[in-house]
Amino acid sequence: MAGAKPAAATGGKQDLEEALAQIVHQHHHQSLRQRQQTVSLQLAINMNPARMKEQIDDPLSPYTLAEKSKKDAMRSAVRVADLLVDTVDSGVHELFVNEKRIELEARTLLGTISRYRRQTDQWLAATNEINSVLKEIGDFENWMKIMDFECKSINAAIRNIHQS
């Protein structure tokens, strides 16, 4: 409880729970000691008011020990607050890192989708061009058949005229 901050990532929730339990246990014992010291201080002051200043100045007096207990309780509360903040901060940091990773993956996916869209558009244009060429080939083949039929008809008519 010297004020050093343990890393929240090393122990996490279990360290926090252990620290809270230890702080509650210490607070309970300090509270009992302080209560006993306060009662004895009040008895001493009630019995001899002239000794009140001596009690306050004495480092081992119940009054001084009570002040020390208050300071220890404040340090403990600060430590608990620091542990809670570290725990919450580590979770927030993890969420922030995950959010950035997801955003990066989303941008990468958008780029891939855009590339696939351009490629698909190229394939569609090529397919349409092939269809158009096939239709032209079909039209030419049909025209050739019509011309062949007409040439045969003309040839048959000329033979008929020539034979008659």
Side-chain angles (χ1 to χ4, degrees):
M1 224 183 257
K5 280 187 185 178
T10 58
K13 189 175 181 180
Q14 187 176 8
D15 283 348
L16 181 61
E17 289 174 359
E18 288 174 7
L20 286 172
Q22 181 183 5
I23 290 169
V24 168
H25 180 72
Q26 287 177 351
H27 175 72
H28 177 69
H29 285 292
Q30 288 174 351
S31 176
L32 289 176
R33 264 191 290 141
Q34 188 177 6
R35 185 177 298 140
Q36 290 171 350
Q37 291 167 358
T38 304
V39 168
S40 64
L41 177 63
Q42 286 175 346
L43 288 174
I45 291 172
N46 288 338
M47 291 182 356
N48 191 355
R51 290 196 55 211
M52 181 173 156
K53 183 166 178 18
E54 292 174 13
Q55 288 289 325
I56 292 174
D57 292 338
D58 183 12
L60 297 176
S61 75
Y63 179 79
T64 307
L65 291 175
E67 286 298 316
K68 184 180 176 192
S69 295
K70 284 181 188 178
K71 289 178 184 177
D72 287 344
M74 286 299 294
R75 277 191 293 260
S76 296
V78 167
R79 182 165 181 248
V80 168
D82 288 344
L83 287 171
L84 289 171
V85 167
D86 288 346
T87 301
V88 170
D89 282 350
S90 68
V92 169
H93 177 71
E94 185 178 337
L95 289 175
F96 181 74
V97 168
N98 286 341
E99 179 185 6
K100 290 297 178 187
R101 185 177 50 84
I102 289 169
E103 286 176 2
L104 180 64
E105 288 178 13
R107 277 191 230 116
T108 304
L109 280 173
L110 286 175
T112 303
I113 288 169
S114 177
R115 192 173 64 244
Y116 285 151
R117 180 179 291 143
R118 283 191 302 269
Q119 188 175 10
T120 304
D121 289 344
Q122 290 172 350
W123 289 345
L124 184 61
T127 304
N128 286 338
E129 192 174 321
I130 289 172
N131 274 345
S132 177
V133 168
L134 288 175
K135 284 180 184 178
E136 287 177 12
I137 290 173
D139 289 345
F140 181 73
E141 184 180 5
N142 190 34
W143 179 79
M144 290 294 289
K145 286 179 182 177
I146 291 171
M147 292 305 285
D148 184 45
F149 178 74
E150 288 180 6
C151 284
K152 286 180 183 177
S153 297
I154 292 172
N155 190 17
I158 290 175
R159 271 194 206 159
N160 285 339
I161 293 176
H162 207 261
Q163 286 177 359
S164 352

